Amino acid sequence: MFARGEDVTPSVLELAHGNEEIPSSLLVSDKFRPNTKLEEWGAIPVIDISYKERDVLRKMIGDAARDWGVFQVINHNLSIPEILLVAEEVKSFFHLPFEHKLKLELNPFKFADTEVYYTGDNSKQDLHSLHWAESLVCLRKSWCNLKEKVTRSSDLIFPGGNETFRSGTNEILMDCRGLTVEVLHLLAEYLGLESGFFSDRCFPDGMSFFRWNYYPSCPFPSATLGAHAHTDPNLLTILYQDKLGGLQVKKDDVWYGVKPMKEALIINIGDCLHIFSNAIFHAVVHQVLVNEKAHRLSLAVIYYLDHDADMTAPDVLVNDEHPRKFKSLSAEMYWRLVFEERTGKKYPESLSGLEALRDHILLPEGNICNMDVFMIQYSVF
């Protein structure tokens, strides 16, 4: 078990400078330690999002979401050089004195009013998956007045102003929205739904996170994790990982590394798409390994449904071969269930958001099978 609360360090990055031990609060138990190497890459689908034959593109993306729950896209509309420019500014923030970064530390009692927050000691956190990592998060409660919100966030992070960060973040967010809408359209069409079925419930009122995760080098990478195994409790995540790699995804109970590709972006299917699609799409379980010799940085743009959205799978996705898997629930109800699960002293086992749905699983009529067996059989986990 974790020795939570002992030897709590103020900043993971400070530990990476000259320390040869890991505090007990940031060790992981043998049960959760990585048993694969960074270089063990998997055959994660790589899809050219600019492919002109839409029927073929739709099938490639839908099959990847069904079989893997994750895929990489190339020839997208985002500028990787722009991401790298902003990344350099973000690195400069992470290397500021700890006292400066603490000014943005998350206050959970003021979350509703928070636009930017920083975490540097994840031994205190039970609600997210990050562990040997620091993070900088910009929240968007909606997509209205985006430029003004980006400017406010930029000024909070860099009080003296930082035009590279401000303008680059604005460009990345707008381009990410375009890519997200296109992917959601293709996924909806794959299921035989109207193109806007998912995207209309996400934009413009759905919340989003613009999250930079910094994983400092670690003296004993096999003894900890950058991020624990988890699913994303949202609709869809767009991820950029640097050239070092570290992301791993789980398929058929085997961990596979996601090989870094210079111009690629990673798309993760979240719990909400899994529920909404009647478990046709797969919410990918993933974790992050750390590097012994180098720091690494990733960017995750995380999209949520409008909190009032009804996630009941449409009737067209329900038939004798695919019976309805979940009771009706709203996005807000689901997030409340996830919050209760993760604060129920089950960390880190509780980080698969779908575990919160035990009371919302529908068994086939007359079926008295073991619930755990049923959830595995029907890809609920």
Side-chain angles (χ1 to χ4, degrees):
M1 296 297 292
F2 289 88
R4 301 183 66 75
E6 298 179 12
D7 304 327
V8 175
T9 178
S11 168
V12 176
L13 184 58
E14 290 182 353
L15 286 175
H17 295 156
N19 284 283
E20 297 181 358
E21 295 183 358
I22 300 176
S24 59
S25 59
L26 289 172
L27 291 171
V28 299
S29 65
D30 291 343
K31 177 181 178 180
F32 300 106
R33 290 187 180 184
N35 55 17
T36 54
K37 299 178 181 179
L38 281 171
E39 297 79 10
E40 294 178 356
W41 311 121
I44 287 82
V46 178
I47 299 171
D48 184 347
I49 195 72
S50 69
Y51 198 80
K52 299 301 182 184
E53 295 185 30
R54 192 169 184 84
D55 289 349
V56 177
L57 179 60
R58 178 169 56 235
K59 187 175 188 311
M60 288 191 294
I61 283 184
D63 286 352
R66 180 196 65 199
D67 298 337
W68 281 87
V70 62
F71 49 93
Q72 300 204 66
V73 294
I74 56 174
N75 294 324
H76 45 78
N77 60 325
L78 273 78
S79 167
I80 298 301
E82 189 69 50
I83 293 176
L84 293 176
L85 282 174
V86 177
E88 289 303 311
E89 303 305 314
V90 173
K91 288 178 186 177
S92 73
F93 168 82
F94 282 119
H95 284 271
L96 288 171
F98 181 59
E99 293 75 15
H100 179 96
K101 293 183 288 185
L102 270 182
K103 296 176 182 178
L104 295 178
E105 189 175 35
L106 176 63
N107 182 340
F109 299 105
K110 296 182 179 180
F111 183 79
D113 301 319
T114 299
E115 289 188 289
V116 176
Y117 69 86
Y118 159 80
T119 62
D121 176 12
N122 294 301
S123 66
K124 299 176 181 177
Q125 299 291 333
D126 286 353
L127 295 180
H128 63 65
S129 63
L130 291 177
H131 201 60
W132 186 272
E134 298 189 19
S135 65
L136 177 65
V137 182
C138 302
L139 282 72
R140 306 283 173 261
K141 303 300 194 310
S142 76
W143 283 79
C144 301
N145 305 315
L146 180 64
K147 289 185 177 180
E148 290 85 347
K149 292 175 181 177
V150 170
T151 297
R152 285 201 302 271
S153 296
S154 179
D155 290 344
L156 287 168
I157 299 166
F158 300 103
N162 189 313
E163 179 60 21
T164 300
F165 179 87
R166 187 200 63 79
S167 61
T169 297
N170 191 67
E171 180 180 333
I172 293 167
L173 281 172
M174 292 306 298
D175 290 344
C176 267
R177 174 173 174 167
L179 175 60
T180 300
V181 169
E182 176 65 2
V183 170
L184 290 175
H185 281 185
L186 289 161
L187 290 172
E189 292 168 17
Y190 179 86
L191 297 174
L193 306 172
E194 292 291 329
S195 294
F197 183 85
F198 297 126
S199 61
D200 290 350
R201 291 162 172 79
C202 183
F203 301 105
D205 296 324
M207 183 171 64
S208 63
F209 284 42
F210 188 76
R211 182 177 201 134
W212 290 96
N213 295 327
Y214 200 45
Y215 303 98
S217 59
C218 178
F220 297 101
S222 63
T224 190
L225 286 163
H228 286 285
H230 65 286
T231 59
D232 292 339
N234 54 286
L235 192 67
L236 184 133
T237 301
I238 294 180
L239 178 71
Y240 174 76
Q241 66 169 349
D242 63 18
K243 62 183 180 181
L244 294 174
L247 176 66
Q248 290 189 320
V249 299
K250 198 173 190 179
K251 183 178 189 294
D252 300 327
D253 210 32
V254 176
W255 285 107
Y256 298 96
V258 181
K259 188 174 183 178
M261 297 179 63
K262 184 177 180 181
E263 297 294 329
L265 296 171
I266 300 163
I267 310 290
N268 285 350
I269 301 300
D271 297 342
C272 294
L273 260 178
H274 178 92
I275 297 166
F276 232 151
S277 68
N278 200 33
I280 293 173
F281 295 146
H282 177 64
V284 64
V285 178
H286 52 291
Q287 65 183 16
V288 178
L289 306 188
V290 290
N291 195 294
E292 184 176 1
K293 298 180 179 180
H295 306 331
R296 61 177 297 266
L297 182 71
S298 69
L299 168 64
V301 186
I302 304 166
Y303 294 94
Y304 286 82
L305 291 164
D306 180 351
H307 72 281
D308 291 326
D310 181 357
M311 294 198 298
T312 305
D315 291 339
V316 69
L317 303 182
V318 180
N319 53 45
D320 290 341
E321 292 184 5
H322 300 283
R324 190 173 295 280
K325 305 295 194 304
F326 305 102
K327 299 176 184 178
S328 296
L329 76 164
S330 68
E332 182 179 23
M333 182 186 301
Y334 171 65
W335 296 324
R336 288 184 183 276
L337 290 170
V338 170
F339 180 84
E340 292 171 2
E341 180 78 12
R342 293 188 178 185
T343 54
K345 301 185 184 303
K346 298 178 182 179
Y347 179 94
E349 292 92 337
S350 61
L351 289 173
S352 173
L354 295 170
E355 293 184 16
L357 291 176
R358 287 179 178 272
D359 294 334
H360 289 262
I361 303 296
L362 289 172
L363 286 168
E365 186 175 352
N367 193 311
I368 56 173
C369 70
N370 177 275
M371 178 63 82
D372 290 332
V373 173
F374 175 81
M375 286 190 284
I376 293 171
Q377 179 182 356
Y378 284 88
S379 301
V380 175
F381 295 137

